[in-house]
Amino acid sequence: MADPCSVPPEVLVPTTNQTLELALGTRVALNCTVRWAGTGHCLHSPAWSKDGQWLGSGGSQDTAWFAPNASEQLLSSVLQLNLTHDTDFGVFACWISNATATFTLRRAEAAGHVPAVLAALLVLVLLMLAAGLYVRCRLNVLLWYRNRYGELEINDGKLYDAYVSHATAPDDRKFVHFIVKPQLENRYGYKLFLDEQTILPNAEPSADLIMNVSRCRRLIVVLSVAYLEQDWCNSSFREGLWRLLELSKKPIFIVFESQYREIHHPAITLLKQHRGAVTLLVWRAGSMTPSSEFWKELCLALPRKVSLQGPVGDPQTQLQEDKDPMLILHSSYLDSGGDLHPDGDLGLRECVFRSPPPPRIAGPAAPLPAAGTGDAQLRDGQRPEIDVSDLGSRNYGARTDFYCLVTEDDI
């Protein structure tokens, strides 16, 4: 009968060769457990080796015991390691009789901060790029969205897009008449009402102001140094501002950068405190450029404009198919080849409109003009340039911006 102690033991832990990746400075315990069948007491001495070199017997803790059914014996050997140097890593083997268990210890590279730093820098660059694009393209995006999806302010009974109030100083007049008005009317198609009178005499709106502002969709105030010299600006600007807020929707105040830094008027401080209720724009040195932020911010504060496609003319008559030259803005019949008098248009040397000659009243003996003579006169330019024969059948109901000078009593 074979000796039970000669049978190779079965390795329970580890089941396979084990590979561990540990950081430097880690303390680890390598456990090697085997079992074998038999009731006799078999002496098996565990041994450990590192990279083929045998280790001393004092480095491991060995424990032997019987299984509960007393038919199997178990042996456990634990090797304690303190990985403080690179030489402490390697291949460790546990030898118990003819059984072998292998442990491979590798040093794990410490997680570096370089990827995290690079990721943080990338996010920071993206945020800075997004902030730069927002600052540079914010007004363009807002204008595009407003012009495409903004609310249309039409059929509201308003005749003008903006009421412009400015001082009588020469610099203010030049700024309004030669910069603001041409830019807004010719480039953007707005219609302005200019007024250089005091809008709030005695800090109360005049009747003319109420009537004129009610016909305008916005209120623009050129708040120069000369404008701030008005009585209502010095004595009761706060009360006047409340009156303007009642008359107009978010009034627009334009100040000049050269004066803006030097002005210590309480009106400027009050406007800064109420930026949510008013629009405060600063005219700078580079604002003269049509693509500057000043004009973009001003257009955002003004109502949305609708561009009409097609030939230039009155939009009220374009769809009526009315060819009356009186209802067309640019009519060719107003062009004249005559030499103008230096005094003005009243000095035309040639008649623009010609009509048939009046009938002659004469006796029976007066010769009648021959038909051929009349045709010759018409061919020579005597034909009227405007055909007024069908004025009674024209559609004048399309026009709503003219006044009738004949009352019902006259009819």
Side-chain angles (χ1 to χ4, degrees), residues 384 386-394:
I386 301 178
D387 185 8
V388 297
S389 60
D390 61 340
L391 288 180
S393 61
R394 296 182 183 274

Side-chain angles (χ1 to χ4, degrees), residues 37-97:
T39 57
H41 185 68
C42 300
L43 297 176
H44 294 287
S45 299
W48 290 86
S49 66
K50 175 182 179 296
D51 298 331
Q53 300 294 329
W54 294 102
L55 300 177
S57 59
S60 63
Q61 298 178 359
D62 303 332
T63 304
W65 70 95
F66 284 94
N69 55 7
S71 62
E72 294 179 341
Q73 298 183 36
L74 294 96
L75 175 63
S76 175
S77 179
V78 178
L79 179 64
Q80 300 287 343
L81 296 176
N82 190 12
L83 306 177
T84 56
H85 302 87
D86 292 337
T87 56
D88 295 334
F89 295 88
V91 179
F92 293 83
C94 174
W95 301 84
I96 301 178
S97 184

Side-chain angles (χ1 to χ4, degrees), residues 15 30 79 121 166 214 258 305:
T15 56
L30 304 181
L79 179 64
L121 291 178
H166 62 94
S214 64
S258 58
K305 292 299 296 181

Side-chain angles (χ1 to χ4, degrees), residues 330-346:
H330 303 284
S331 301
S332 59
Y333 74 89
L334 293 178
D335 299 335
S336 174
D339 186 13
L340 297 180
H341 194 273
D343 293 339
D345 294 344
L346 297 180

Side-chain angles (χ1 to χ4, degrees), residues 82-260:
N82 190 12
L83 306 177
T84 56
H85 302 87
D86 292 337
T87 56
D88 295 334
F89 295 88
V91 179
F92 293 83
C94 174
W95 301 84
I96 301 178
S97 184
N98 296 331
T100 306
T102 305
F103 300 86
T104 303
L105 302 185
R106 295 177 182 175
R107 179 177 176 179
E109 296 294 335
H113 300 288
V114 176
V117 173
L118 293 179
L121 291 178
L122 180 60
V123 173
L124 181 60
V125 170
L126 292 178
L127 290 178
M128 294 178 62
L129 181 61
L133 291 176
Y134 174 79
V135 173
R136 187 175 182 84
C137 304
R138 175 181 62 89
L139 294 177
N140 294 331
V141 173
L142 293 177
L143 276 175
W144 174 83
Y145 183 83
R146 196 280 306 268
N147 294 334
R148 188 174 182 87
Y149 304 104
E151 179 183 359
L152 292 176
E153 299 183 28
I154 57 177
N155 299 327
D156 53 1
K158 307 292 185 179
L159 300 180
Y160 300 92
D161 293 305
Y163 178 100
V164 182
S165 176
H166 62 94
T168 57
D171 292 340
D172 292 17
R173 287 182 176 178
K174 293 178 182 178
F175 175 73
V176 172
H177 290 273
F178 295 100
I179 297 180
V180 175
K181 178 180 172 63
Q183 184 75 6
L184 292 182
E185 290 191 346
N186 300 336
R187 182 179 179 87
Y188 297 103
Y190 289 105
K191 190 176 181 181
L192 305 181
F193 181 89
L194 307 182
D195 187 11
E196 59 183 26
Q197 303 298 325
T198 302
I199 58 175
L200 292 176
N202 300 324
E204 291 292 336
S206 61
D208 293 340
L209 174 69
I210 296 176
M211 180 185 67
N212 294 330
V213 173
S214 64
R215 297 187 300 172
C216 304
R217 296 183 177 92
R218 296 293 187 274
L219 172 63
I220 301 178
V221 178
V222 181
L223 204 62
S224 62
V225 174
Y227 197 95
L228 290 174
E229 294 177 355
Q230 299 180 10
D231 295 337
W232 73 274
C233 293
N234 292 322
S235 60
S236 55
F237 185 84
R238 181 183 296 272
E239 291 75 10
L241 180 60
W242 304 145
R243 299 292 186 273
L244 297 180
L245 291 174
E246 294 174 356
L247 294 176
S248 177
K249 173 185 177 182
K250 199 170 186 180
I252 305 168
F253 291 88
I254 300 176
V255 296
F256 299 97
E257 184 182 24
S258 58
Q259 304 173 1
Y260 183 71

